[in-house]
Amino acid sequence: MNTASATVPSRLADIVGPSNVVADPAQLAAFAIDDKKPSVSVSPQLIAEIVEIVKFARKEKLAIIATGARTKLGIGLPPRQYDIALNMTRLDRLVSYDPGDLTLSAEAGIPLHKLSAILGEHHQFLPLAAPYFDRTTIGGTIASGVDGPLRQLYGTARDYLLGMEFVTGEGVVAKSGGRVVKNVTGYDIHKVMIGALGTLGVITRINFKTFPRLLSSRAFVSTFQTLERACGMRNRVSQSHLAPVTMEIFSPGVANLFSTETASRIAPNSIPENILGGSRWIFTSGFAGNPNALARYENDLRKMAEECGAVDAAVLEGPQLASAFALKREFIPLALSFSSAATILKISVLPRQIAEALTAATREAESRHLPWVVMARGVGMIYFTILAGESSEATKQQVVQASDNILLACAALGGNATIPWCPTAWKNTLRVWGPPRADFAQMLKLKKAFDPDAILSPGRFVGGI
Amino acid sequence: MDSHAINDLKKLLGADAVLHRPEELLLYEYDGSVEVARPNCVVFPRHTKEVVGIVQIANRYQIPMIGRGAGTGLSGGALARQGGVLVVFSRMNRILEIDVENQCAVVQPGVVNADLSVAVAQTGLHFAPDPSSQKASTIGGNVSENSGGPHTLAYGVTTNHVHSLEAVLPTGELVRLGSPALDSPGYDLPGLFVGSEGTLALVTEITVKLTRLPETVKTLLAIFDTVDDATETVVDITARGITPAACEMLDGWTIRAVEAYVHAGFPVDCAAVLLLEVDGLREAAEQHAEEVADVCRLHHAREVRVARDARERDLLWKGRKNAFGAVGRLSPTYYVQDGVIPRTKLPQTLRRINEIGEKYGFEIGNIFHAGDGNLHPIILFDAREEKQFQRAVASADEIIGFCIEMGGSITGEHGVGMEKDRLMPLLFTEDDMNLMRRVRDAYNPVGLLNPGKIFPDTKGCGEIHVRPLPVAGASRA
């Protein structure tokens, strides 16, 4: 930071009022990213204030990182520079909601659970079942690009985001898309903001398509002796006419993750022992509909499971179903809190390659005696978690070797693999964003168009953008 | 155009892949819109390498280049607004790979939309985006325009079905954007390039998602004696959270035009029909069909017919998808609009369109994607009369103005192209558009690719609607 640093808090106070600026180092610890603390945090309530803050930062060459509930700031590389934490939580208004049109517009700082409650009053919901559900803001959920179990049926945010407003790195308010459910006017800029970690702009408003609440739902759970059989079940279901709401495969050992104190707070209703307790692979699929459809799902899934060699099967409903869903949704926080050096690889492959990718990954982990656990979504997203117990140099070397090899194996399959979560100290050695990307040059062009001086979230994204 | 450039193109592609005589170019000065613009030359590449070569030649001689599929677009997206080389992808029409197990396919841009669905039908899959032009329009064109169609209500538009792209940037760089596996790390470049109306790149290969065909399809025709009853039904269906696979509305005027041509079995004495489709598991679809029928009756549907078999179903859809052809028999020219409104505003919007028609003295038919609020008012006029044309545009602008007032948009699926660039400021601020222009310039730095589209920043804009007009008019929607 330059010589203006002493006056930065007071300059920011001029914009948002002194009560919305924090410069006390002790309090700023809460805004640290990868052990790096900002020198000030500022909480605007108006978009015009954000514009002023960004323009000020640009002039003073200060780096800004927008924060919400601060649950996923660990994703990505450590920031190259971090001066101002832009706390978005006061920008938390519901701008508009038209239940009859199933559309809404909300400010980025609104908590996801709060928005869900409002939608619930109208028997609607957003399919953003994101981790840290009880705390996360919609801005943080979108900027971090996390997914959730409902993507099986509903896709990801890119499929139901209608438009967005944001402030660019030059302090310009811009928007794209709109509020109606179908729209091709102008470029779909809002799509590139998803998962961009705030490197293109500060998201201020998001417009969504909402969905009618599902009719009564249930989950089918079955266990298998081998990964291949569990994947066989996945393939079988996806070849049928069934259209499940969720579909996941969990590895043996996930019970450990799901039986901690944190887990029991998230999911107070226990899952049957025969399902979760064993040393088997678990296939689970949620479905919904009228009583006839529910019966059909249950019947067909039981038959398929039997044909695919399931050992056990059960149908969950009511509170048990809610608990099982919460555990799936909160897999990442549960894994991260389970061991101090937990490292999560996010792997995406074509759905038929799940078994192959996982076989390679487990081989790499086991040959180095690294404990691991897996959640794989039926669409081909795998969260391969190495439950490293300590961040010692020796463990780090093991994790680095294992993950490098896993990344290579996934690349050979034509898939993608990154390491969104790992101990800070390992980030300069692990390939956090995976192998170099052929389209990186095209990403740089975009970054330059939005944030030519690279003051927004610098260094955290792919290739150090 | 520089004759050296034409010679270079002939050398690259062969003489049979380059058209440049005036009489050869006539066909390519139109697309499905009411716009006209003649290219200097038309080329037909056979593979990606040739596309790169064309782009290099265009750069060498600094001539504009414009991608084109079947030319069915409705906003002038595939017209050479400032002249130049029209790159027609009709010879790059191979399906390169079908991966049934992973439900995806790799296609060249010239593959006709419906051909892909036909090619995979045996496997129980299809390509879900279904623009009414699907028997002619190409997937490359669909990607450029982010095309919709009747079934996008439940299945989403083109962008929801594209995994990754291979493309040639206007600078000649060959790039691969995204990946067939989901969540490609980094910015969602396919999300940006799909729907960029051919202004960012010439797409040479597309990896698309294939969707399983539903187990059961129920097609219903609800017949109404007032337009208000029909629109109120759509409002109610939406508010109840019933999402049909399709929910199309045809007003009485359109029905009479269609019946005279297609004989789809629409009653000619009614004020409006809703063509509704529900699909999914047998158990769910049957109940949904009953629910939909109940809502229709609640809003005074005179009759709700259910197609008894595939033949009846196809006939109803034939009526819908050939409607624009039917209208073409009634008027020398017509102008189709593409505004979008929140579904809750359908009744007052339809009433307003009617008033606007009366005010300007035009017949305005309505046939549109009611379920997602995407209007297609059809304004009939005689293009041989200059004044009529100007009045037609003025009435269309008034309709679009009302859509915006309702919180809507100027185009739901046809694109901005060279038709609506002047309307962009009604939705976007100068700052919004400047950022979009900057994005365009990042990939299309000299502006050689499809110049004069989307943004109102080109010479001569504002006059584009006063020009020699087609004698027989446009098209499908």
Side-chain angles (χ1 to χ4, degrees):
Chain A
M1 201 184 250
N2 65 14
T3 50
S5 63
T7 62
V8 168
S10 69
R11 296 279 297 279
L12 292 172
D14 290 344
I15 299 171
V16 296
S19 60
N20 295 307
V21 176
V22 174
D24 167 23
Q27 287 183 56
L28 287 171
F31 293 89
I33 301 176
D34 291 323
D35 303 333
K36 205 173 214 166
K37 273 194 290 187
S39 49
V40 62
S41 98
V42 54
S43 309
Q45 196 178 23
L46 304 169
I47 289 153
E49 292 170 349
I50 298 174
V51 168
E52 275 193 67
I53 294 165
V54 174
K55 282 185 172 165
F56 166 70
R58 187 173 177 227
K59 208 167 123 215
E60 302 293 334
K61 299 189 169 23
L62 304 175
I64 299 181
I65 299 180
T67 67
R70 306 192 296 272
T71 51
K72 295 176 292 293
L73 291 174
I75 296 177
L77 292 164
R80 195 161 51 229
Q81 188 189 335
Y82 182 21
D83 304 300
I84 302 173
L86 189 65
N87 179 356
M88 298 292 288
T89 53
R90 288 175 72 223
L91 231 84
D92 63 349
R93 282 155 293 217
L94 180 66
V95 181
S96 69
Y97 175 29
D98 184 352
D101 190 41
L102 290 101
T103 54
L104 73 79
S105 176
E107 289 182 339
I110 195 168
L112 185 52
H113 71 89
K114 198 170 150 192
L115 198 56
S116 295
I118 297 167
L119 290 170
E121 289 168 25
H122 297 271
H123 310 291
Q124 294 181 6
F125 80 110
L126 262 184
L128 271 182
Y132 303 97
F133 187 81
D134 293 335
R135 284 187 286 155
T136 187
T137 63
I138 57 164
T141 300
I142 297 303
S144 64
V146 288
D147 70 355
L150 295 174
R151 77 178 291 174
Q152 171 68 31
L153 187 64
Y154 293 93
T156 53
R158 86 189 288 278
D159 298 307
Y160 42 85
L161 211 133
L162 303 174
M164 203 186 267
E165 179 196 72
F166 47 87
V167 177
T168 68
E170 292 181 294
V172 173
V173 185
K175 65 177 179 299
S176 67
R179 287 192 196 172
V180 281
V181 295
K182 198 170 174 192
N183 191 3
V184 294
T185 316
Y187 293 151
D188 265 4
I189 284 179
H190 44 284
K191 288 208 167 71
V192 296
M193 307 289 285
I194 302 171
L197 294 187
T199 53
L200 296 178
V202 176
I203 299 171
T204 51
R205 274 185 198 172
I206 309 175
N207 305 338
F208 286 108
K209 180 157 93 174
T210 65
F211 293 81
R213 193 157 62 193
L214 291 166
L215 294 170
S216 61
S217 54
R218 290 179 195 166
F220 177 81
V221 194
S222 52
T223 63
F224 296 86
Q225 292 290 10
T226 64
L227 164 66
E228 286 71 23
R229 284 186 184 177
C231 288
M233 177 69 183
R234 180 248 156 241
N235 299 342
R236 189 67 215 277
V237 175
S238 68
Q239 280 173 330
S240 75
H241 283 296
L242 302 184
V245 182
T246 64
M247 187 148 72
E248 267 92 13
I249 292 168
F250 289 95
S251 64
V254 77
N256 299 330
L257 224 63
F258 289 170
S259 54
T260 62
E261 210 173 296
T262 322
S264 60
R265 265 201 311 276
I266 292 166
N269 301 284
S270 58
I271 313 299
E273 267 294 303
N274 62 326
I275 293 300
L276 205 49
S279 55
R280 293 185 284 266
W281 288 85
I282 303 167
F283 167 89
T284 161
S285 181
F287 52 93
N290 64 37
N292 290 338
L294 291 179
R296 162 85 184 276
Y297 271 104
E298 194 176 328
N299 189 42
D300 285 9
L301 287 166
R302 277 191 192 280
K303 216 184 287 169
M304 290 176 196
E306 215 168 282
E307 288 163 10
C308 294
V311 180
D312 241 320
V315 171
L316 308 181
E317 51 188 315
Q320 269 190 345
L321 172 68
S323 282
F325 185 80
L327 290 172
K328 281 203 269 195
R329 190 188 62 211
E330 304 296 331
F331 177 85
I332 286 160
L334 288 171
L336 292 176
S337 66
F338 188 80
S339 64
S340 63
T343 297
I344 304 180
L345 282 79
K346 182 183 180 184
I347 296 166
S348 72
V349 289
L350 292 175
R352 287 297 182 119
Q353 298 172 331
I354 295 174
E356 205 175 328
L358 269 179
T359 303
T362 56
R363 190 178 52 229
E364 294 300 330
E366 279 180 358
S367 67
R368 294 175 178 81
H369 309 289
L370 293 165
W372 55 272
V373 66
V374 164
M375 172 175 71
R377 302 200 197 285
V379 292
M381 300 299 308
I382 303 169
Y383 291 90
F384 187 79
T385 306
I386 299 173
L387 297 167
E390 34 138 47
S391 46
S392 70
E393 188 57 32
T395 312
K396 180 177 114 178
Q397 286 311 324
Q398 297 286 316
V399 174
V400 168
Q401 286 167 14
S403 63
D404 277 356
N405 290 345
I406 296 170
L407 260 51
L408 282 176
C410 292
L413 288 172
N416 307 302
T418 59
I419 311 174
W421 295 273
C422 69
T424 297
W426 297 1
K427 286 193 174 179
N428 49 13
T429 319
L430 285 177
R431 293 208 265 178
V432 168
W433 286 108
R437 297 199 51 84
D439 52 0
F440 180 67
Q442 310 317 321
M443 293 183 196
L444 266 186
K445 289 177 187 169
L446 207 55
K447 170 71 175 177
K448 281 191 185 129
F450 281 76
D451 180 24
D453 300 312
I455 62 161
L456 298 178
S457 219
R460 296 173 68 208
F461 199 52
V462 176
I465 283 180
Chain B
M1 199 167 108
D2 196 321
S3 63
H4 290 101
I6 293 187
N7 284 338
D8 283 2
L9 288 166
K10 281 185 176 168
K11 223 179 284 167
L12 174 75
L13 306 167
D16 71 327
V18 180
L19 304 178
H20 58 90
R21 291 188 204 94
E23 68 273 19
E24 294 171 331
L25 300 176
L26 271 177
L27 187 63
Y28 294 93
E29 61 181 28
Y30 301 107
D31 64 358
S33 71
V34 292
E35 313 289 347
V36 188
R38 191 174 303 175
N40 299 98
C41 136
V42 181
V43 296
F44 302 89
R46 290 175 199 84
H47 42 77
T48 300
K49 253 193 201 156
E50 290 187 343
V51 178
V52 173
I54 293 164
V55 172
Q56 284 165 348
I57 292 169
N59 273 282
R60 195 178 312 145
Y61 294 95
Q62 289 291 296
I63 38 181
M65 50 200 150
I66 305 93
R68 180 176 171 110
T72 58
L74 292 155
S75 57
L79 294 184
R81 190 177 200 174
Q82 296 173 10
V85 188
L86 202 60
V87 186
V88 179
F89 283 97
S90 50
R91 290 183 188 174
M92 283 178 69
N93 62 347
R94 282 182 303 138
I95 298 173
L96 300 173
E97 191 188 330
I98 294 171
D99 183 344
V100 176
E101 292 189 336
N102 290 303
Q103 294 186 211
C104 57
V106 183
V107 300
Q108 289 188 322
V111 169
V112 170
N113 173 300
D115 287 354
L116 178 58
S117 285
V118 168
V120 297
Q122 291 290 327
T123 66
L125 301 172
H126 73 302
F127 180 56
D130 64 335
S132 296
S133 60
Q134 72 185 133
K135 284 187 180 162
S137 71
T138 63
I139 295 176
N142 299 161
V143 164
S144 287
E145 301 295 320
N146 191 11
S147 304
H151 289 85
T152 55
L153 176 57
Y155 290 92
V157 291
T158 302
T159 190
N160 306 111
H161 300 271
V162 172
H163 288 314
S164 66
L165 302 170
E166 179 199 78
V168 181
L169 297 181
T171 48
E173 280 169 273
L174 178 64
V175 295
R176 255 182 198 284
L177 309 173
S179 67
L182 299 174
D183 292 16
S184 174
Y187 301 132
D188 179 7
L189 295 173
L192 174 67
F193 278 60
V194 175
S196 60
E197 305 193 25
T199 61
L200 299 184
L202 291 170
V203 172
T204 48
E205 201 179 289
I206 307 145
T207 305
V208 297
K209 180 167 127 186
L210 298 173
T211 305
R212 192 156 299 285
L213 286 162
E215 180 180 63
T216 303
V217 180
K218 293 256 168 202
T219 309
L220 296 86
L221 184 75
I223 301 155
F224 296 89
D225 288 324
T226 72
V227 170
D228 274 355
D229 281 338
T231 50
E232 293 289 356
T233 302
V234 177
V235 173
D236 202 2
I237 286 174
T238 311
R240 285 168 191 249
I242 305 168
T243 308
C247 174
E248 302 283 305
M249 183 172 151
L250 290 79
D251 67 8
W253 182 88
T254 318
I255 289 164
R256 288 181 278 283
V258 169
E259 272 308 295
Y261 176 48
V262 184
H263 313 298
F266 297 149
V268 292
D269 63 335
C270 69
V273 297
L274 290 177
L275 180 58
L276 294 144
E277 197 155 276
V278 293
D279 66 16
L281 273 194
R282 189 171 57 246
E283 290 80 357
E286 274 165 13
Q287 190 197 338
H288 277 144
E290 279 168 33
E291 283 170 7
V292 164
D294 286 346
V295 180
C296 293
R297 287 189 201 102
L298 192 70
H299 292 279
H300 322 109
R302 184 211 291 176
E303 191 189 343
V304 182
R305 293 181 196 162
V306 182
R308 278 166 299 190
D309 50 34
R311 199 193 58 85
E312 281 192 12
R313 174 180 175 235
D314 290 347
L315 193 57
L316 289 175
W317 278 111
K318 198 176 159 200
R320 165 62 184 93
K321 294 204 172 181
N322 289 308
F324 287 85
V327 172
R329 301 180 352 134
L330 301 182
S331 174
T333 351
Y334 60 86
Y335 188 27
V336 187
Q337 266 305 337
D338 184 38
V340 190
I341 48 156
R343 278 82 61 98
T344 40
K345 312 286 190 200
L346 264 178
Q348 62 257 55
T349 307
L350 266 272
R351 288 195 289 270
R352 186 80 193 108
I353 291 173
N354 191 39
E355 286 163 17
I356 292 168
E358 281 172 9
K359 177 176 152 188
Y360 286 89
F362 287 125
E363 295 254 37
I364 302 184
N366 286 287
I367 170 161
F368 62 103
H369 313 303
D372 39 30
N374 187 187
L375 307 167
H376 288 324
I378 310 167
I379 302 160
L380 302 192
F381 68 99
D382 188 342
R384 289 163 298 195
E385 284 182 42
E386 180 66 34
K387 272 189 183 153
Q388 266 212 30
F389 181 62
Q390 285 172 352
R391 278 195 3 257
V393 173
S395 64
D397 283 1
E398 206 166 319
I399 293 171
I400 288 296
F402 189 76
C403 292
I404 293 169
E405 217 176 285
M406 293 292 102
S409 165
I410 62 175
T411 172
E413 56 182 9
H414 296 175
V416 176
M418 57 191 272
E419 181 209 1
K420 291 204 178 93
D421 53 352
R422 72 209 159 79
L423 301 178
M424 283 287 278
L426 299 176
L427 276 187
F428 293 110
T429 65
E430 208 41 51
D431 283 344
D432 298 338
M433 288 188 288
N434 278 337
L435 182 67
M436 292 185 195
R437 287 184 186 113
R438 223 192 247 195
V439 169
R440 178 196 60 195
D441 297 346
Y443 300 104
N444 186 9
V446 193
L448 282 186
L449 185 63
N450 212 0
K453 304 293 171 70
I454 308 180
F455 308 106
D457 57 356
T458 37
K459 281 170 244 149
C461 81
E463 303 151 32
I464 60 160
H465 289 286
V466 190
R467 57 168 71 230
L469 285 155
V471 279
S475 71
R476 301 142 291 272

